Amino acid sequence: MNILLKSARILDTHNQSLHGKVRDIWIKNGRIEKIASSVNPEARTKVVELSNLHVSRGWIDSSVSFGEPGYEERETLAHGARVAALSGFTDVVLNPNTNPIPDTSGDIVFINKTAAGKGARVHPMGALTRASAGSDLSEMYDMKKAGAVAFYDFKSPIHQSNLLKIALQYAQGFDALVLSFPMDASIAATGTVNEGNTSTSLGLKGIPALAEEIQIARDLYILEYTGGKLHIPTISTSGAVALIAEAKKKGLDVTCSVAIHNLYHTDEVLHDFDTHFKVMPPLRTSKDREALRKGLRTGVIDMVTSDHIPIDIEEKRVEFDRAAFGSIGLESSFGTLNSIFGPDKTVDFLTSGHERFGLDSPVIKEGEPVSLSLFNPEGDYVITRESLESTSKNSMYIGRKAKGRVYGSVTGPQVFLKK
């Protein structure tokens, strides 16, 4: 399909010649054919005219879960990819937390074939260890050849220090990225929320910041010894920001992400025992939140993520201690970030991360493959359950105010627009 985006304001701080300019963008056969003040396209071109249309390079989310295979009732690959595209994302990195857990090349091939052409481009990660059991390394090399972009035991800490050492050493042979979840399970134990005043007043078992920071400190020491590439997903404490800042000063090849809900909420929202706010790592204090925002602004934190985790409603409608961890967040990502940082910074954050996962970073330029996110940064609205396209509705953002609206995305010859 050929597409003409009419009167689109381009937000791209990496290209100052176009940043802030209003242009027509003509897309032909999946590539940007022309960018000009006015374009008269060929016949059989879909013309897209939207109120206060803004476009940017395609957004990426580095931590997304769906359900297929094994948990299709939560979200299928095809529908999840479409939801991501309608939420403005052109690329999502898929967590290895299905049933079976993807730990072979065949599993990666299945995901790639099933999700191809359905919406946002889905880039699967493979499990770091067999069945994410934390004992033996998985078939990392074969999975990398099949299309795995990184290796991660989803939300499972690497207990054995030597296992992380071997993984980082082995991965260097084929330029693979290793992820390590920042949590010392022996310290976190059976905690469900941040350890502090809120956990004490509510009588809930707490997870101290120490559990995250001691694990990160260990991982960074190992990385300094082995070399290699390490990514630490979803940090949540001020101490974690300081540790990673120091590691980067040393020149270590480490990156990290932060979940958008840790930039927005604090543990004070837990007073109603709403299980939608039960996430891992937990919501922390206002001090931590401010340190995370500062770390993102200064570049210590490399990328943001929705940490989108669909959960069966039965696993949320139980007592807080027994409820599953996780919230969906793809559809609320832009509106939440925009309400905190404004459109320019929000776009910068949402377009960071491609290179770390070995993906080509989108470019707004004539002749280049098209990968664009479409949105209106103005106007407030309240997120409702009815407005969510996701199959699972376990969102902590329901009833919350967001700023700006996402229209959708264009990936290659495909355009995905909200009705």
Side-chain angles (χ1 to χ4, degrees), residues 10-298:
I10 299 170
L11 294 190
D12 186 359
T13 57
H14 291 77
N15 185 350
Q16 289 299 321
S17 65
L18 286 177
H19 181 59
K21 303 295 193 303
V22 176
R23 295 288 186 268
D24 286 0
I25 304 175
W26 181 25
I27 299 158
K28 184 178 180 181
N29 299 325
R31 291 184 177 272
I32 298 176
E33 181 73 12
K34 191 171 184 179
I35 303 173
S37 298
S38 181
V39 175
N40 294 315
E42 297 173 353
R44 297 188 299 277
T45 295
K46 178 182 177 66
V47 178
V48 176
E49 294 186 80
L50 298 166
S51 175
N52 196 29
L53 173 61
H54 285 57
V55 302
S56 73
R57 296 179 298 138
W59 304 341
I60 183 171
D61 192 323
S62 62
S63 179
V64 170
S65 302
F66 292 144
E68 186 177 7
Y71 306 109
E72 287 82 359
E73 72 280 1
R74 298 178 183 176
E75 192 68 271
T76 65
L77 284 164
H79 189 258
R82 180 173 176 78
V83 169
L86 293 173
S87 304
F89 291 92
T90 58
D91 297 89
V92 295
V93 177
L94 188 67
N95 289 311
N97 59 333
T98 51
N99 186 18
I101 289 171
D103 59 4
T104 69
S105 59
D107 297 325
I108 301 301
V109 169
F110 168 80
I111 293 170
N112 282 330
K113 286 186 175 180
T114 304
K118 302 300 192 302
R121 290 177 291 251
V122 175
H123 308 282
M125 287 190 282
L128 182 67
T129 63
R130 293 177 184 173
S132 290
S135 297
D136 303 303
L137 290 182
S138 62
E139 299 175 7
M140 294 170 62
Y141 178 69
D142 290 343
M143 284 192 283
K144 177 77 182 293
K145 289 197 298 182
V149 297
F151 300 95
Y152 178 32
D153 288 349
F154 178 70
K155 303 286 187 184
S156 296
I158 301 172
H159 302 293
Q160 300 181 37
S161 298
N162 192 53
L163 183 66
L164 177 61
K165 177 179 75 71
I166 294 171
L168 285 167
Q169 291 172 327
Y170 176 54
Q172 291 176 61
F174 47 99
D175 194 33
L177 178 65
V178 171
L179 277 70
S180 177
F181 184 63
M183 186 69 68
D184 184 312
S186 65
I187 295 176
T190 57
T192 57
V193 299
N194 178 59
E195 181 182 87
N197 294 335
T198 298
S199 65
T200 301
S201 65
L202 298 178
L204 295 172
K205 295 178 181 178
I207 301 173
L210 175 67
E212 179 169 315
E213 292 157 11
I214 199 169
Q215 187 84 352
I216 291 175
R218 183 208 70 169
D219 290 355
L220 293 173
Y221 272 119
I222 293 173
L223 178 65
E224 187 172 9
Y225 175 81
T226 61
K229 298 193 300 186
L230 179 67
H231 180 69
I232 301 174
T234 59
I235 67 170
S236 67
T237 74
S238 58
V241 176
L243 285 166
I244 292 168
E246 185 62 29
K248 288 187 172 185
K249 288 180 182 177
K250 292 181 179 180
L252 300 186
D253 193 351
V254 61
T255 53
C256 65
S257 66
V258 60
I260 293 170
H261 48 251
N262 284 100
L263 296 167
Y264 187 72
H265 292 294
T266 69
D267 59 357
E268 293 179 2
V269 300
L270 296 170
H271 285 284
D272 292 331
F273 294 93
D274 186 342
T275 58
H276 288 102
F277 294 102
K278 186 179 179 182
V279 289
M280 178 63 73
L283 300 174
R284 301 287 189 179
T285 66
S286 58
K287 175 187 173 183
D288 293 308
R289 181 179 64 181
E290 292 310 308
L292 293 168
R293 291 181 180 183
K294 182 179 179 181
L296 191 58
R297 290 189 182 101
T298 58

Side-chain angles (χ1 to χ4, degrees), residues 74 275-276 308-313 316 324-329 385 388 390-398:
R74 298 178 183 176
T275 58
H276 288 102
H308 178 89
I309 305 176
I311 298 293
D312 299 330
I313 192 63
K316 283 292 187 180
F325 291 98
S327 170
I328 62 171
R385 178 184 175 86
L388 296 174
S390 296
T391 301
S392 295
K393 309 296 183 184
N394 58 302
S395 172
M396 68 167 68
Y397 298 99
I398 292 174

